[in-house]
Amino acid sequence: MENKDILSKVSDNASAQMLEKSRVDCVETCFDRAETQKAQCGFGKNGICCKVCHMGPCRITPKSPKGVCGADADTIVARNFLREVAAGTSAHSDHGRHLVLKLKHVAEGKAEGYSIKDEKALLYNAKLYGIEIENREKNAVALDLANLFLSEFSSQEDNLKTLELAPKKRQGIWEAKGIKPSGIDRMVVESLHRTSIGVDHDYKNLLMHAFRTSLSNGWGGSRIASIVSDILFGTPSPVRSAANLGVLKENTINILIHGHEPAISEILTAAVSSPDVKDYAKAAGAEGITLAGICCTANEVLMRHGVPLAGNMLQQELAIVTGAVEMMIVDVQCVMPGLVDVAKSYHTEIVSTTDMAKTIGAKHMAVGESNPLAAAKEIVKRAIDNFKKRDKSKVKIPKENEQLVAGFSVDAIKYMLGGKYRASFRPLNDAIIQNRILGVVGIVGCNNTKQKTDEYINVLTEQLIKNNILVLQTGCAAICSAKAGRLTPETALKTAGSGLREVCEAVGIPPILHMGSCVDNTRILEAAAEIVKEGGLGDDLGSLPAVGVAAEWMSEKAISIGCYFVASGVDVFLGNPFYTSGSENVNNYLHSGAAADFNACFHYCDDPLKAAEQIIEIINKARDALGINKTQERKLFDMKDRREL
Ligand code: NFS
């Protein structure tokens, strides 16, 4: 691969160096495989390949506009779309389920190595769901809450209780459209049933179930995952750390954790800091252990322990190419099977830790229910043993290592805005009403080999904060801004527009708030619901000057996230398109028709600068509708204002 080709694939210097090194080391990565997959299937891209029965596969063309059963492009495209939403919903929600079971086992005294770290979060959430908390032992409360959450998965007829955390008006819209979900599991099962041969053929009916299923993710499985993570592992608060491959060190044992569910990474974080493991590392001749993360598990342990971010999704193989990684420990989701082949060229060992996710060639060491800390220590010691196999001649660690501040849970934002005694969103609402902050945009999602990594996210983010828009980020998008050095309060001074900068300076926050992993997108919904509750910006999520963006998305999870944002009334911009263009009806509904039903729809825009313009237009329309777009007298913050903030 020529240097110019490399620079057309990745934005950050660390990735470029490692991609170059992968050429020298004759290692194949996803960037090479994307080349060999270049001629991707047009039927798949347009969503018009149907293989739900074995009379097919059928493909829709002008000459054969219907499948063998008579299904047309509308039915086929909508069925495929619903299946993607169901898969994305199942991934986030199963993650949530595992955490709820963990909480249940903790409450029953059966989960060795885990405890309730945040009692305040437990009591706050139990109260939200109407669970009696007065004079009760915390484990009894936790058991009730865990059982209530389990019923959110299994409920057959009742609507999800978590929906009630949304503004009343939005609940009314879901009711009117008949898309209030019942049990999360039931929604996913029904999605598969409806899309099997000969069941639901009405594209609109299928799409409405896609939105319904996505709501069971955003206001169900994912929301529950975030709540339970906070109870078990602590609610995040601002923490300093660093990002990019430069967090790896020459003289330490380098261990990467990669995947999603925080239960295992929490235990591994504890294992690396235990004295016996530290001594073991010293005895192996290392200066210590560097633990760093990839993908969303990285965001989870960053937010709670300041564990540095090694990189986002498309850096997982490049991290191994440094030649300095003793072990990559993986659990579920976004873990490339290609890792095993990359690792073969170095001394790196890939270790899988959960029975539901194995890869041939990876060492499987389950971290199960019984004595997980001992299991985690065994894994870490194995990594330490591997240190002696490191081939120094193959090691090259890029220098890129940017400082960051992360950990902005809704609680933390409220605290930053209002202080301990008056924690509230009021100052943010006022800043929006007074036009210091134009609006709020959530930028979420992955990297995609179809786009130059991080570029869309970086360009868009910069453009938005320049225009006084507060940016909330999660997932790999947040890691992208971290690598660009944008997740520090000082960024505001350099790049943010004057109004946003005043607010950030007064409060001491960056103009881009890292709010966590992808399940934590529900923290963005939670923040939006708090803003509505605070008053002055309408009575529904759909009236807020707020937009969501999945700039470089690639996963089915991102489709489900996009759908629950739209169904919640928030317009969503996509940096690359859905596989729906084979049906004009489906495509039109998603990209315009949905607005009549939800006051929001999808927008596809492949140019980040144009997307910024369109986003600002949508935000200004929302401001007009709220009557807050009158030119407010521009007034700089004086000391009195700062004290009020
Ligand atoms: Ni989200 Fe997390 Fe990253 Fe995309 Fe994958 S890690 S759950 S799916 S790639 S943001």
Side-chain angles (χ1 to χ4, degrees), residues 34 40 45 314 447-453 553 576-577 579:
Q40 288 177 326
K45 268 191 183 167
L314 292 186
N447 289 130
N448 187 324
T449 45
K450 287 176 180 162
Q451 293 158 287
K452 181 174 177 178
T453 61
W553 72 278
N576 58 73
Y579 296 152

Side-chain angles (χ1 to χ4, degrees), residues 110-126:
K110 290 185 199 158
E112 281 180 75
Y114 296 92
S115 61
I116 291 165
K117 289 249 174 70
D118 194 336
E119 201 171 326
K120 196 172 141 226
L122 168 70
L123 298 180
Y124 172 80
N125 284 293

Side-chain angles (χ1 to χ4, degrees), residues 21-98:
K21 183 172 185 286
S22 74
R23 308 279 76 208
V24 177
D25 295 354
C26 297
V27 170
E28 185 189 84
T29 67
C30 57
F31 299 97
D32 303 299
R33 295 189 296 269
E35 287 296 312
T36 52
Q37 287 287 341
K38 202 90 198 185
Q40 288 177 326
C41 171
F43 295 101
K45 268 191 183 167
N46 295 327
I48 44 174
C49 173
C50 178
K51 53 185 187 64
V52 303
C53 88
H54 282 233
M55 294 189 289
C58 295
R59 306 187 308 180
I60 299 303
T61 65
K63 276 195 186 148
S64 54
K66 291 196 172 161
V68 176
C69 71
D72 61 11
D74 293 344
T75 301
I76 292 172
V77 171
R79 276 201 301 223
N80 288 339
F81 186 77
L82 172 52
R83 284 200 165 197
E84 290 186 289
V85 171
T89 300
S90 73
H92 279 324
S93 300
D94 214 26
H95 166 163
R97 177 206 323 278
H98 294 154

Side-chain angles (χ1 to χ4, degrees), residues 44 46-49 52 73-89 191 195 203 206-214 553 556 558-564 566 574 577-581 583 586-587 589-591 602:
N46 295 327
I48 44 174
C49 173
V52 303
D74 293 344
T75 301
I76 292 172
V77 171
R79 276 201 301 223
N80 288 339
F81 186 77
L82 172 52
R83 284 200 165 197
E84 290 186 289
V85 171
T89 300
S191 297
T195 54
Y203 79 91
L206 285 158
L207 292 179
M208 290 318 253
H209 190 66
F211 285 110
R212 189 178 179 211
T213 302
S214 76
W553 72 278
E556 289 162 324
I559 305 181
S560 177
I561 294 165
C563 284
Y564 72 64
V566 166
L574 305 169
F578 289 140
Y579 296 152
T580 51
S581 51
S583 157
V586 170
N587 222 31
Y589 180 76
L590 292 173
H591 295 88
F602 287 101

Side-chain angles (χ1 to χ4, degrees), residues 85 163 166-167 169-175 177 179-181 207-216 218-219 525 540-542 559-572 589-590 594-595 597-602:
V85 171
L163 297 179
K169 190 163 176 189
R170 192 46 46 175
Q171 293 180 45
I173 291 172
W174 296 333
E175 181 77 51
K177 299 286 160 210
I179 59 162
K180 275 188 157 179
L207 292 179
M208 290 318 253
H209 190 66
F211 285 110
R212 189 178 179 211
T213 302
S214 76
L215 286 173
S216 79
W219 294 91
L525 289 181
D540 177 29
L541 300 171
I559 305 181
S560 177
I561 294 165
C563 284
Y564 72 64
F565 267 85
V566 166
S568 299
V570 181
D571 282 276
V572 171
Y589 180 76
L590 292 173
D597 289 332
F598 303 120
N599 202 26
C601 64
F602 287 101

